[in-house]
Amino acid sequence: MRYLLLLSFALFAWKAKDPVKIVFFGDSITQAGVQPKGYVSVIQQYIAQKYPGQYEAIGAGISGNKIYDLYFRFEEMLELKPDVVVFYIGINDVWHKQSAGTGTDVDRFTRFYERMIERLKAKNIRVVLATPSVIGERTDASNPQDGDLNYYAGIVRNLAQKHGLDLVDLRREFLEYDRKNNPENAEKGILTTDRVHLNEKGNAFVAGQMIKVLFK
Amino acid sequence: MRYLLLLSFALFAWKAKDPVKIVFFGDSITQAGVQPKGYVSVIQQYIAQKYPGQYEAIGAGISGNKIYDLYFRFEEMLELKPDVVVFYIGINDVWHKQSAGTGTDVDRFTRFYERMIERLKAKNIRVVLATPSVIGERTDASNPQDGDLNYYAGIVRNLAQKHGLDLVDLRREFLEYDRKNNPENAEKGILTTDRVHLNEKGNAFVAGQMIKVLFK
Amino acid sequence: MRYLLLLSFALFAWKAKDPVKIVFFGDSITQAGVQPKGYVSVIQQYIAQKYPGQYEAIGAGISGNKIYDLYFRFEEMLELKPDVVVFYIGINDVWHKQSAGTGTDVDRFTRFYERMIERLKAKNIRVVLATPSVIGERTDASNPQDGDLNYYAGIVRNLAQKHGLDLVDLRREFLEYDRKNNPENAEKGILTTDRVHLNEKGNAFVAGQMIKVLFK
Amino acid sequence: MRYLLLLSFALFAWKAKDPVKIVFFGDSITQAGVQPKGYVSVIQQYIAQKYPGQYEAIGAGISGNKIYDLYFRFEEMLELKPDVVVFYIGINDVWHKQSAGTGTDVDRFTRFYERMIERLKAKNIRVVLATPSVIGERTDASNPQDGDLNYYAGIVRNLAQKHGLDLVDLRREFLEYDRKNNPENAEKGILTTDRVHLNEKGNAFVAGQMIKVLFK
């Protein structure tokens, strides 16, 4: 009888040690991130080596998503029972202004983003924000939407600061990396395949940036 | 004591006869609709004459709103305890594509719209849909966004049919009215002040179309 | 000796009967029009049968061209020594507004077009105008840019009338044809391959419309 | 008789000393530049003091002009008999992409610009190029069209270099000035009234930059 009790307790303790679930909430970059060499997979491999069983990296990205699409599937994402939610969003909100006339206004971007942050904080879920990385890798500030993307990155930085959240400043890190590694001022091919989506090096780079902030 | 009981009962019965609340859920047109000669006010006057105390017309319009903005304030709107929700939305979803690069994609327009319809139906709230009226009143199909607006009006018609909802086909009615009353092919000034927002005649016209469907 | 003289004279007379050169001045549709089953080739075949040696159909179309691109290569086109110039332009002027943010303003479209008309008239070159055909073949006026394209077609009609020029009203003819032959309301595949560029039937159709006006 | 000859010679010599005509060829900024405190007027005042009768500053700016509008009125501009032509163009080519969907493609911008340069060089007219200044004065590279404007400024720099022309690098000078004088990161009000058009200080600034290059 005493052993049964002990066993029960042990089981309970073990159960309590469910891995910390980290959900990456984003667009096509995150959707591709769960592919073998995608950034979510790289983070999961890192976890398997350093923190086996303690964390779990889960991708929740859907191609084309803008901030309000995340809001649309917010409840569905919550069903994944995240302990941490990492937002990596904003590229399409800017990009689609030009490519389809269906980008996101500055006020909506802020408003939808902030409401999700507040709801997660109310549930004691850790929130991490990532700034939108790049739409074009030219290093002389001449990618057509650089200005707008910088502005939206600024909104994300402000939200992180206002809500005391950890920030993965991908925008800044990408710019710095490209400045050092793109001597030809190419618009793609350094960390992206097509100015936006990550190549293998880009996925590794994002994983590294995420890891620095998540497991600091 | 018995009288007191009777009185209480009578009061309760009277209380049960709260007016049917009709919420008009939309954009700047509906926001202006609660002004003295706005379409919501005209409907309220109609109610006061024909069905005093039986209905109540409530405006819930905010300037610039697109379909996902309605979704953003959906819970807030529900706090108005509507018995009927009339959607009059879609103009900005098309218009802002051109004016700001921030219109709404066809799939999102449909998806957000449908989710709200389903939630209202699940609550046994009557749902009425109105097609987006006009962006320009030229009658020769040459207003720049006529094609796109027709397409979005078609989506609304399909949603009404699919979900068995009453439809106020403002798009169709405006086109017909303008064809008869705009011999000079003017782009504004017939039912609108500026190609989009309603003048006094436009407000009366919309009120009339709404009344026909709401109180049929 | 006398015979030689006669022969020379005959040769000279024959030489004087150079074929009437018809230059089709336009965009990718005209560029593709010189392909084996393209509309310019079909017209050339018609000429070979009906008016051998009397006319010559020459394609001068370049992909992506807008009205001011025609103006840019106007002198170059004149070097072809045309007797007749057929303008088939305007689709990109509308289309590129949405696809690249680089369409043409209404006033510029009119102004560049009119200057070329006037220059050709001053040279006694016959000018024929064609309205821009389609960007999407849906028959319920719901192709996104229908309204704007109708407007630009209207400008071309007005220019033809103002300057007393023959008009090939492709816009009107395409709409009518599609209304009869597109029962499914498809956006392409009737006369176009991709909503804009002509399939074989479309090329034959345009050739037919051009022939009716050119050789009336 | 000898005196008459001398007089004739003197008159001829005086005639030969016509002032060097400098035509500023541009958009609304140059159109406003001929107003009392506009940049063209400021340059003219500078001339009146330093080089009276030796130079003449003439404004040839029209509101809304893009590169192909300059080409459209190129002959008309030449009738001013310029000895020097200063191009200050490119803002609308970028700006109108967003505001009206009618900006200018990169290849057209280059092509029209270059043709005008070549024609002027062939006439031995001195050509000076100015890069497009600003669409927004924020100093953190977050004005929405900064990236695209930087790109078009780059095209102008390349054209100047390729054709051995003097360059007034307004883009660079404005950025530097704003970096020093816009600590609040305001989007307007430093050198512009509305993010684009010059205030008095802006006109003086442009005049100064032009003078440095023109009279070096």
Side-chain angles (χ1 to χ4, degrees):
Chain A
M1 180 70 189
R2 235 164 64 192
Y3 291 100
L4 203 63
L5 214 87
L6 265 172
L7 183 65
S8 298
F9 182 74
L11 276 169
F12 176 78
W14 175 80
K15 183 83 181 73
K17 272 187 163 177
D18 263 1
V20 172
K21 277 189 177 177
I22 308 170
V23 169
F24 296 88
F25 201 26
D27 55 27
S28 56
I29 291 176
T30 298
Q31 188 171 25
V34 301
Q35 296 296 315
K37 299 197 166 179
Y39 84 86
V40 180
S41 303
V42 174
I43 293 171
Q44 184 57 40
Q45 285 153 27
Y46 172 84
I47 289 169
Q49 288 196 331
K50 291 274 276 192
Y51 308 103
Q54 296 180 55
Y55 291 95
E56 189 184 350
I58 300 167
I62 290 189
S63 175
N65 267 206
K66 290 173 270 210
I67 192 71
Y68 51 79
D69 296 311
L70 296 193
Y71 185 66
F72 187 80
R73 57 192 186 88
F74 190 63
E75 309 300 328
E76 191 186 301
M77 184 275 288
L78 286 179
E79 286 168 17
L80 297 170
K81 307 280 179 206
D83 299 292
V84 184
V85 173
V86 181
F87 284 86
Y88 181 1
I89 195 74
I91 293 177
N92 294 321
D93 298 86
V94 171
W95 196 14
H96 292 190
K97 287 188 192 181
Q98 197 163 85
S99 63
T102 57
T104 308
D105 298 292
V106 160
D107 58 350
R108 270 77 165 189
F109 186 74
T110 311
R111 193 183 297 154
F112 277 97
Y113 213 142
E114 192 152 28
R115 183 177 281 181
M116 289 188 279
I117 290 169
E118 284 165 354
R119 293 212 175 150
L120 292 170
K121 285 176 73 177
K123 289 176 184 292
N124 287 314
I125 294 172
R126 182 183 171 198
V127 181
V128 175
L129 308 189
T131 51
S133 33
V134 291
I135 307 174
E137 299 191 66
R138 284 192 214 122
T139 59
D140 60 348
S142 78
N143 303 290
Q145 298 189 287
D146 270 352
D148 214 22
L149 199 60
N150 285 337
Y151 194 80
Y152 282 64
I155 295 173
V156 177
R157 283 179 204 119
N158 289 342
L159 285 171
Q161 187 166 35
K162 177 176 173 186
H163 292 278
L165 307 175
D166 283 326
L167 178 74
V168 186
D169 200 342
L170 294 180
R171 177 82 190 137
R172 195 183 307 272
E173 301 292 345
F174 268 64
L175 291 181
E176 202 176 309
Y177 184 93
D178 274 339
R179 238 170 334 243
K180 287 178 191 150
N181 296 280
N182 183 6
E184 308 267 305
N185 201 28
E187 65 169 12
K188 59 184 179 181
I190 314 306
L191 294 172
T192 75
T193 58
D194 62 353
R195 305 195 312 133
V196 168
H197 296 93
L198 307 175
N199 60 18
E200 195 180 322
K201 194 164 274 182
N203 272 292
F205 185 76
V206 166
Q209 298 298 329
M210 295 277 191
I211 284 167
K212 268 200 292 186
V213 172
L214 282 168
F215 306 100
K216 66 181 178 182
Chain B
M1 180 68 186
R2 237 166 61 194
Y3 292 100
L4 202 65
L5 214 88
L6 265 171
L7 184 66
S8 297
F9 183 74
L11 275 170
F12 175 78
W14 176 80
K15 185 83 182 72
K17 270 186 165 177
D18 264 0
V20 172
K21 276 190 178 176
I22 309 171
V23 169
F24 296 88
F25 201 26
D27 55 28
S28 56
I29 292 176
T30 298
Q31 187 170 24
V34 300
Q35 295 297 315
K37 298 196 166 180
Y39 85 85
V40 179
S41 304
V42 174
I43 293 172
Q44 185 57 41
Q45 285 153 26
Y46 172 85
I47 289 169
Q49 287 197 329
K50 291 274 275 190
Y51 309 103
Q54 295 180 54
Y55 292 94
E56 191 184 348
I58 300 167
I62 290 188
S63 176
N65 267 207
K66 291 173 268 208
I67 192 71
Y68 50 79
D69 296 310
L70 296 193
Y71 186 67
F72 186 80
R73 57 192 186 88
F74 190 63
E75 310 298 329
E76 191 186 300
M77 184 274 287
L78 286 178
E79 287 168 17
L80 297 170
K81 307 284 180 202
D83 299 292
V84 185
V85 172
V86 182
F87 285 86
Y88 181 3
I89 195 74
I91 293 177
N92 294 321
D93 299 86
V94 171
W95 196 14
H96 292 188
K97 287 189 192 180
Q98 198 164 85
S99 63
T102 57
T104 308
D105 299 292
V106 160
D107 58 349
R108 271 76 163 189
F109 186 74
T110 310
R111 193 184 296 153
F112 278 96
Y113 213 143
E114 192 153 27
R115 181 177 282 180
M116 287 189 278
I117 290 169
E118 284 166 352
R119 292 211 175 151
L120 292 170
K121 285 176 75 177
K123 288 177 183 290
N124 286 315
I125 294 172
R126 182 184 171 199
V127 181
V128 176
L129 307 188
T131 50
S133 33
V134 292
I135 306 173
E137 299 192 66
R138 284 192 215 122
T139 60
D140 60 347
S142 77
N143 302 291
Q145 298 190 289
D146 270 353
D148 215 22
L149 198 60
N150 285 336
Y151 194 79
Y152 282 63
I155 295 174
V156 178
R157 283 181 204 118
N158 290 342
L159 284 171
Q161 187 166 37
K162 178 176 174 188
H163 291 279
L165 306 175
D166 283 325
L167 177 75
V168 185
D169 200 340
L170 293 179
R171 177 84 188 136
R172 193 184 307 273
E173 300 293 344
F174 268 64
L175 291 180
E176 202 176 309
Y177 183 93
D178 274 338
R179 246 181 315 255
K180 286 177 192 153
N181 297 280
N182 184 5
E184 308 268 304
N185 201 28
E187 68 170 10
K188 60 184 177 178
I190 315 303
L191 295 171
T192 75
T193 57
D194 63 353
R195 305 194 315 133
V196 168
H197 297 93
L198 307 176
N199 60 19
E200 195 180 322
K201 196 164 272 180
N203 272 292
F205 186 76
V206 166
Q209 298 298 329
M210 295 277 191
I211 285 168
K212 268 200 291 186
V213 171
L214 281 167
F215 305 101
K216 66 181 179 183
Chain C
M1 179 69 187
R2 234 161 66 188
Y3 291 99
L4 202 65
L5 214 87
L6 264 173
L7 182 67
S8 298
F9 182 74
L11 275 171
F12 175 78
W14 176 81
K15 184 79 180 75
K17 271 188 169 178
D18 263 358
V20 172
K21 276 191 179 178
I22 308 171
V23 168
F24 296 87
F25 201 25
D27 57 27
S28 57
I29 292 176
T30 298
Q31 188 170 24
V34 301
Q35 296 297 314
K37 298 196 166 180
Y39 85 86
V40 180
S41 302
V42 174
I43 293 171
Q44 185 57 41
Q45 284 152 29
Y46 171 86
I47 288 168
Q49 287 197 331
K50 290 274 277 194
Y51 307 104
Q54 296 180 54
Y55 291 94
E56 189 183 351
I58 301 167
I62 290 188
S63 177
N65 267 206
K66 290 174 269 209
I67 192 72
Y68 50 79
D69 295 310
L70 296 194
Y71 186 66
F72 187 81
R73 57 192 184 87
F74 190 65
E75 310 299 328
E76 190 186 301
M77 183 275 289
L78 286 178
E79 286 168 17
L80 297 170
K81 308 278 179 206
D83 299 290
V84 184
V85 172
V86 182
F87 284 86
Y88 181 1
I89 196 76
I91 292 177
N92 294 321
D93 298 85
V94 170
W95 196 14
H96 292 189
K97 288 189 191 181
Q98 197 163 85
S99 63
T102 56
T104 308
D105 299 293
V106 161
D107 58 349
R108 269 77 164 189
F109 186 72
T110 311
R111 193 183 297 154
F112 278 97
Y113 213 142
E114 192 153 26
R115 181 177 283 179
M116 288 188 280
I117 290 169
E118 284 165 353
R119 293 213 176 148
L120 292 170
K121 284 176 74 177
K123 289 176 183 292
N124 287 314
I125 294 172
R126 182 185 171 196
V127 181
V128 175
L129 309 189
T131 52
S133 33
V134 292
I135 306 173
E137 299 192 67
R138 285 192 213 122
T139 60
D140 61 348
S142 78
N143 302 291
Q145 299 190 287
D146 271 353
D148 214 22
L149 198 61
N150 285 337
Y151 195 80
Y152 282 64
I155 295 173
V156 177
R157 284 181 203 118
N158 289 342
L159 285 171
Q161 187 167 37
K162 178 177 174 187
H163 292 277
L165 307 175
D166 283 324
L167 177 75
V168 186
D169 200 340
L170 293 179
R171 177 82 188 138
R172 193 185 306 274
E173 300 291 346
F174 269 64
L175 291 181
E176 201 176 310
Y177 183 92
D178 274 338
R179 243 179 321 254
K180 287 179 190 151
N181 297 281
N182 184 6
E184 310 266 304
N185 201 29
E187 68 170 9
K188 59 184 177 181
I190 314 304
L191 294 172
T192 75
T193 57
D194 61 354
R195 306 194 313 132
V196 168
H197 297 93
L198 307 175
N199 60 18
E200 195 180 322
K201 194 165 276 183
N203 272 292
F205 185 77
V206 166
Q209 299 298 329
M210 295 278 192
I211 285 167
K212 267 202 293 187
V213 172
L214 282 168
F215 306 100
K216 67 183 179 183
Chain D
M1 181 69 186
R2 236 164 64 191
Y3 291 99
L4 203 65
L5 214 87
L6 265 172
L7 183 65
S8 298
F9 182 75
L11 275 171
F12 175 78
W14 176 81
K15 185 81 182 71
K17 271 186 168 182
D18 264 357
V20 172
K21 277 190 178 177
I22 308 171
V23 169
F24 296 87
F25 201 26
D27 56 28
S28 55
I29 292 176
T30 298
Q31 188 171 22
V34 300
Q35 295 297 313
K37 298 196 165 180
Y39 84 85
V40 180
S41 303
V42 175
I43 293 171
Q44 184 58 40
Q45 284 152 27
Y46 171 85
I47 289 168
Q49 287 196 331
K50 291 273 278 191
Y51 307 103
Q54 295 180 56
Y55 292 94
E56 188 183 351
I58 301 168
I62 290 189
S63 176
N65 269 207
K66 291 174 268 210
I67 192 72
Y68 50 79
D69 296 311
L70 296 193
Y71 185 65
F72 187 81
R73 56 192 186 87
F74 190 64
E75 309 300 328
E76 192 186 299
M77 184 275 288
L78 286 178
E79 287 167 16
L80 297 170
K81 307 280 179 208
D83 299 292
V84 184
V85 172
V86 181
F87 285 85
Y88 181 2
I89 195 75
I91 293 177
N92 294 320
D93 299 85
V94 171
W95 196 15
H96 291 190
K97 288 189 191 182
Q98 198 164 85
S99 63
T102 55
T104 308
D105 299 293
V106 161
D107 59 349
R108 269 77 164 192
F109 186 73
T110 311
R111 193 184 296 153
F112 278 97
Y113 213 143
E114 191 153 27
R115 182 177 283 180
M116 287 187 280
I117 290 169
E118 284 165 353
R119 292 212 175 149
L120 291 170
K121 285 176 75 178
K123 289 175 183 294
N124 286 314
I125 294 172
R126 181 184 172 198
V127 181
V128 175
L129 308 189
T131 50
S133 33
V134 291
I135 306 174
E137 298 191 67
R138 286 193 214 120
T139 58
D140 61 347
S142 78
N143 303 290
Q145 299 190 288
D146 270 352
D148 214 22
L149 198 60
N150 285 337
Y151 194 80
Y152 282 64
I155 295 174
V156 177
R157 284 181 203 117
N158 289 341
L159 284 170
Q161 187 165 37
K162 178 176 173 186
H163 292 277
L165 306 176
D166 283 324
L167 177 75
V168 185
D169 201 341
L170 294 179
R171 178 82 189 139
R172 192 184 307 273
E173 300 293 345
F174 268 64
L175 291 181
E176 201 176 309
Y177 183 91
D178 274 338
R179 245 181 318 254
K180 285 177 192 153
N181 297 280
N182 184 6
E184 309 268 304
N185 201 28
E187 69 171 8
K188 59 184 177 181
I190 315 306
L191 293 172
T192 75
T193 57
D194 63 352
R195 307 194 313 132
V196 169
H197 297 93
L198 307 176
N199 60 18
E200 195 179 323
K201 195 163 273 181
N203 272 292
F205 186 77
V206 166
Q209 299 298 328
M210 296 278 192
I211 285 168
K212 268 201 292 186
V213 172
L214 281 167
F215 306 100
K216 66 183 180 182

